[in-house]
Amino acid sequence: MEVPFTGTITVSRILSGSAVMTEEKGSRNGSGSGKKDWRWSGKKESDGSSPEVSGGSSSWSGSSSAFLSAMITGAEEIRDGEGNVIGYQPVGYVTGRVTERERFRAKHVSIKSLYSYSAREEHTVSPEGIDGWCRLTVNPNEGRYELSFPSIYLGDGTGETVMVFSAPDLRLEKREPWHGLGPVDWVPSAPDRETLLYSPESGVIQGSFSYSMPPGGIDVELLRKGLGSFPPELSGLKGELLSDYSKIAENLADAAGKTPGMYSGKWTVAWSLTIGSVPVKVELEPMGDYENWMPELIWGMGNFVRVRAKIVEPEGLTGKIRFTLKDVSREPGVCMNYPFHDREEAPDLVISEMSGSGLNITEDGQSAVTLDDVNEAEVVLQPRDFGARGKLSATATVLAGGKEIEVRAVLKRTGEHDVTLPLDENSNGIADYWEKAHNIYPCAGDCDDDGEPEGKAPGDGLSAWEEYRGFFARGKHERLDPNRKDLFIYDPDGLAEKAGFGSVTRLAVHYVEPEEGRCTGTNDRARVVNFRAGSSHLVDQHCLWIKKDALPEPDPFNWGCCEGGREIGPPRTADRYVLVYADQIRADLQRTLQENRPEITNALGQRGLRPDAAWLEGQINAAVAMTTIHEACHGLGISHHYTSLLQTLPKGADVEKAVMDLDISPSTGQMSCVMRYTRDWGKHPRLTFKAESETLDMLRGRPWPNTLCETLDDCRGQMVISDREQGRIY
């Protein structure tokens, strides 16, 4: 059935085309000396510009852009002779503008044409009730509708064609009017009827449709000839979006056999309509730096974003304006690891009392209404979570047409009914500004594609949403980089930080307080850093807890431990602590120095050094740093140098058996790698040095290992951060 409606319909159209005509010597059948044949190649330039002209070539290019905007402000009933309503006459207006350019170039000839025009057509009530400039019919039982699109004729303007003829001894310039056709309407294929659905309860109809015409999609000459058959009163059917090539096209058609006018381009039509005949419009507009706004908490207070609603049609109308928040998140805590203790979940986004005294705000901050009838109102929205999100809508209750009606506000920028906070056009819960800043727009909220540094697998166990929401590290909130793998470490003795763990592993390392990493002795999700997880949660991701410890009794060259089960890495597999036996390291180095002082003194003397207390302290710190990184890397799935060790064993030997039964250590592989053993406890069939021999080399001046190798043992390639992944099984 046909229904009255109000709203807007827009049609835009962008077309361009170009062609090259080349001269060929000889006739079509190859006979006839000196006869020339002109043919249009149809070559389409990528930038829409005219192709270069050379020799006997000619070129043509054209472009046309047009826009139509229809405002339907009301509808009048159409009745039959018996007084029954048989339809509705839409009332309103259509505005449009068009700009068209064409250019022809040939030897000694240059022709340029330009046409631009804008117009407005009023559609008032027709006594006959037959002005069907746009119609809406609906089927509320099926929730379907059909819509006819308006048009406007923009051919009453006058452009200009400039023709320049030049020769070695002659130049002639001629100007004449150029009348563009310039109608704008919707002439390509219609939207798929199956997609035209609406909610009968809301009475709101919105949609859009695009049609792309491929290159060569229009033969200008054939269409231009066909225009002459349309009666002038049917202006809507004159909607072939072309330029009038005037007499130039006719002359070229005689020479080339076809007008050089092959256009391609795109039509787009969009509509936002409300069933009913009340011409009231309310606009919703976010203020300030809305597109770059992200929720932040500064000293516990959320940063603000302002949104205004205004009754724009009819001008000066007032009413009660109500703001309503919906789809507001209720994430646990305020970010991924704060607060430590549970608290009642509440809406993450509220209408603030800073909105002013002219509003009555509900206790939960989810809606507000003006106390008086106003033409416009503004609310201040405040987040309570670093990942706060929601949608704000507004309605105005006004007296129009003799009755009280409620009108939904539309977003000024897009025509939608909600302002998404923050701006989130791909609806993944993440501010578009953050995604674009990290070059991942658009992404899924639960993606985990961190690629740097490379290792066994991409990702770090934290979803894009969790990295966007952020973490506290030593009391400071941080949003993470979704392109770089993150590792959290509780480092009460400063071992990893002093060792430069981040620079060695190339990870983004975040040092946390005990509560921030659940390193307080609790057995409930111990070491889980994203313990305030909610949306887009992939896995409980663990941190590493690195600390100094003392052995129950002296054990020479037992410098550290990262125990776990048979699986080595990722961080979830490690025991609660990564231990570094700093006192044992000190004792071993002091003893090695004491037993080999003459040799060490001589070696250092050649470098201008001496083994005094300060030098020894530096050696101890370097050994502690190496051990810290070594043991922590076990928690990331990196094993000892077993690959290079295997190459030192007899052919067919079992590495595990050699290590476990013969007590052989992997003191092989790249010497600068922290995963190489600097000592050998057993009787190796090919390596015969004592336990202290490599340590002695360090004290004689060889640098302590401080890298991860990427060669035979490929320690860097073994690294796995995400607790979703499986480590190495032994």
Side-chain angles (χ1 to χ4, degrees):
M1 63 179 180
E2 187 174 345
V3 293
F5 65 99
T6 59
T8 59
I9 302 173
T10 61
V11 176
S12 65
R13 179 224 61 199
I14 304 293
L15 293 177
S16 64
S18 62
V20 174
M21 185 168 65
T22 58
E23 177 182 357
E24 297 180 0
K25 294 183 178 181
S27 64
R28 297 179 186 269
N29 55 16
S31 62
S33 175
K35 188 175 181 180
K36 298 180 179 179
D37 219 358
W38 296 85
R39 295 183 180 179
W40 288 92
S41 69
K43 180 180 178 183
K44 181 75 170 61
E45 298 297 319
S46 60
D47 60 357
S49 62
S50 299
E52 292 297 322
V53 177
S54 62
S57 299
S58 300
S59 68
W60 168 88
S61 65
S63 66
S64 179
S65 63
F67 180 79
L68 170 157
S69 177
M71 174 66 70
I72 301 93
T73 58
E76 295 292 334
E77 297 176 345
I78 300 175
R79 299 180 179 271
D80 61 14
E82 299 178 358
N84 299 313
V85 177
I86 58 174
Y88 294 89
Q89 173 63 60
V91 177
Y93 58 89
V94 181
T95 59
R97 64 178 183 273
V98 63
T99 300
E100 300 182 332
R101 294 180 174 87
E102 290 191 5
R103 183 174 183 178
F104 174 76
R105 296 174 61 192
K107 188 175 182 181
H108 305 312
V109 180
S110 173
I111 305 174
K112 296 180 182 179
S113 300
L114 173 65
Y115 177 82
S116 63
Y117 187 63
S118 61
R120 172 174 171 138
E121 293 181 356
E122 300 288 342
H123 290 270
T124 58
V125 178
S126 170
E128 295 80 12
I130 58 172
D131 185 5
W133 62 293
C134 59
R135 288 275 175 89
L136 175 64
T137 58
V138 300
N139 184 336
N141 294 328
E142 297 182 1
R144 299 184 182 278
Y145 68 95
E146 291 187 4
L147 176 66
S148 64
F149 302 123
S151 66
I152 186 171
Y153 183 67
L154 298 173
D156 292 333
T158 300
E160 184 180 52
T161 295
V162 180
M163 294 171 284
V164 178
F165 305 91
S166 60
D169 56 351
L170 173 67
R171 176 180 173 83
L172 176 64
E173 181 175 313
K174 182 180 181 182
R175 296 175 181 265
E176 64 179 31
W178 188 51
H179 300 280
L181 292 181
V184 184
D185 65 356
W186 184 259
V187 297
S189 61
D192 184 357
R193 187 174 182 275
E194 297 299 317
T195 66
L196 301 182
L197 304 175
Y198 81 108
S199 171
E201 292 78 12
S202 68
V204 175
I205 292 177
Q206 291 180 313
S208 64
F209 182 68
S210 294
Y211 172 79
S212 296
M213 183 176 65
I218 292 181
D219 186 325
V220 178
E221 178 65 12
L222 291 177
L223 291 179
R224 184 163 283 130
K225 289 179 179 179
L227 286 175
S229 63
F230 290 111
E233 63 270 23
L234 297 179
S235 62
L237 296 180
K238 293 183 179 180
E240 314 300 346
L241 307 175
L242 305 170
S243 302
D244 182 9
Y245 209 58
S246 191
K247 294 181 179 179
I248 303 169
E250 297 177 6
N251 295 335
L252 289 171
D254 292 339
K258 189 177 182 181
T259 299
M262 303 300 285
Y263 277 91
S264 64
K266 185 176 183 179
W267 281 264
T268 300
V269 61
W271 56 94
S272 179
L273 311 170
T274 301
I275 296 176
S277 57
V278 179
V280 178
K281 184 178 182 180
V282 184
E283 287 185 342
L284 198 59
E285 182 180 12
M287 312 300 292
D289 196 22
Y290 161 70
E291 293 185 352
N292 299 329
W293 182 83
M294 294 189 296
E296 301 284 353
L297 300 181
I298 304 171
W299 299 105
M301 294 290 293
N303 59 337
F304 300 120
V305 61
R306 300 175 182 271
V307 180
R308 176 185 299 165
K310 182 177 182 179
I311 305 171
V312 295
E313 292 182 10
E315 185 176 356
L317 184 67
T318 62
K320 292 283 197 306
I321 297 179
R322 178 180 295 276
F323 297 90
T324 304
L325 281 167
K326 65 178 183 179
D327 299 337
V328 175
S329 59
R330 290 173 176 259
E331 298 291 335
V334 300
C335 69
M336 297 312 303
N337 64 343
Y338 187 85
F340 181 69
H341 298 288
D342 293 335
R343 71 176 191 181
E344 183 181 356
E345 294 181 13
D348 293 334
L349 193 64
V350 297
I351 299 173
S352 170
E353 294 291 340
M354 293 185 64
S355 300
S357 59
L359 289 169
N360 181 17
I361 304 173
T362 57
E363 185 176 352
D364 63 359
Q366 297 303 286
S367 67
V369 62
T370 57
L371 299 174
D372 302 314
D373 287 353
V374 295
N375 178 253
E376 65 177 79
E378 185 178 291
V379 290
V380 175
L381 297 136
Q382 184 177 18
R384 292 175 172 174
D385 190 290
F386 287 96
R389 61 193 183 278
K391 296 179 180 179
L392 180 74
S393 61
T395 58
T397 303
V398 299
L399 186 64
K403 61 180 180 179
E404 187 177 81
I405 60 172
E406 185 176 86
V407 182
R408 298 177 67 190
V410 296
L411 190 57
K412 184 176 182 179
R413 184 172 62 94
T414 64
E416 298 175 347
H417 291 284
D418 300 314
V419 175
T420 302
L421 301 162
L423 179 61
D424 180 21
E425 293 184 344
N426 57 344
S427 303
N428 61 358
I430 301 173
D432 291 348
Y433 173 76
W434 184 83
E435 292 179 76
K436 293 175 181 178
H438 292 286
N439 295 316
I440 62 169
Y441 180 86
C443 74
D446 61 356
C447 72
D448 180 21
D449 300 327
D450 311 62
E452 295 295 331
E454 294 184 8
K456 180 181 177 182
D460 54 14
L462 305 172
S463 68
W465 151 254
E466 291 180 329
E467 299 201 7
Y468 158 74
R469 191 184 180 206
F471 294 77
F472 271 96
R474 291 181 175 171
K476 181 181 178 181
H477 179 263
E478 301 177 10
R479 298 187 195 270
L480 309 185
D481 184 345
N483 300 299
R484 192 175 178 197
K485 296 174 184 175
D486 298 277
L487 178 69
F488 290 81
I489 296 178
Y490 175 46
D491 188 23
D493 300 308
L495 297 174
E497 191 169 12
K498 292 175 184 176
F501 187 81
S503 61
V504 173
T505 60
R506 302 175 189 168
L507 296 168
V509 176
H510 311 275
Y511 296 99
V512 294
E513 299 294 341
E515 293 83 4
E516 295 166 349
R518 293 187 77 86
C519 297
T520 59
T522 178
N523 290 321
D524 178 23
R525 302 177 79 186
R527 297 192 297 115
V528 173
V529 292
N530 53 349
F531 57 87
R532 289 293 172 216
S535 302
S536 300
H537 182 59
L538 300 174
V539 68
D540 282 358
Q541 184 65 28
H542 291 71
C543 70
L544 294 179
W545 183 347
I546 303 174
K547 58 177 289 189
K548 289 181 181 179
D549 200 17
L551 290 165
E553 58 185 32
D555 186 5
F557 293 97
N558 182 5
W559 288 0
C561 177
C562 179
E563 296 291 347
R566 295 190 61 207
E567 183 182 4
I568 297 180
R572 62 175 168 76
T573 65
D575 273 352
R576 175 168 294 185
Y577 312 114
V578 176
L579 301 177
V580 178
Y581 305 133
D583 291 342
Q584 184 65 58
I585 295 173
R586 179 178 294 275
D588 288 341
L589 295 188
Q590 287 175 337
R591 186 183 68 256
T592 303
L593 173 61
Q594 183 178 355
E595 294 174 353
N596 301 275
R597 182 175 290 274
E599 182 181 351
I600 293 173
T601 301
N602 180 57
L604 293 179
Q606 297 178 25
R607 294 179 170 84
L609 302 173
R610 56 195 180 110
D612 55 16
W615 168 87
L616 179 59
E617 199 63 32
Q619 297 300 301
I620 293 171
N621 290 339
V624 169
M626 177 200 72
T627 305
T628 299
I629 300 172
H630 176 104
E631 299 299 341
C633 282
H634 283 324
L636 305 181
I638 303 177
S639 67
H640 297 130
H641 282 185
Y642 293 129
T643 301
S644 57
L645 174 63
L646 180 62
Q647 293 191 352
T648 69
L649 297 174
K651 187 174 182 180
D654 184 271
V655 173
E656 278 195 45
K657 184 176 179 63
V659 172
M660 303 304 294
D661 295 349
L662 302 180
D663 200 20
I664 295 175
S665 298
S667 301
T668 54
Q670 186 173 314
M671 287 188 172
S672 62
C673 180
V674 295
M675 302 311 294
R676 171 190 168 97
Y677 263 46
T678 58
R679 57 236 182 237
D680 186 4
W681 287 321
K683 294 183 178 180
H684 194 287
R686 298 185 184 179
L687 305 178
T688 59
F689 47 77
K690 297 179 181 179
E692 301 94 332
S693 63
E694 280 210 43
T695 302
L696 181 58
D697 279 348
M698 310 296 179
L699 297 180
R700 286 185 302 202
R702 197 180 96 193
W704 289 88
N706 63 351
T707 64
L708 287 173
C709 67
E710 301 178 59
T711 52
L712 180 61
D713 294 288
D714 192 18
C715 290
R716 195 174 298 281
Q718 300 175 48
M719 186 163 55
V720 56
I721 308 300
S722 171
D723 278 337
R724 290 199 298 169
E725 302 294 335
Q726 184 175 5
R728 177 172 290 193
I729 305 297
Y730 288 95

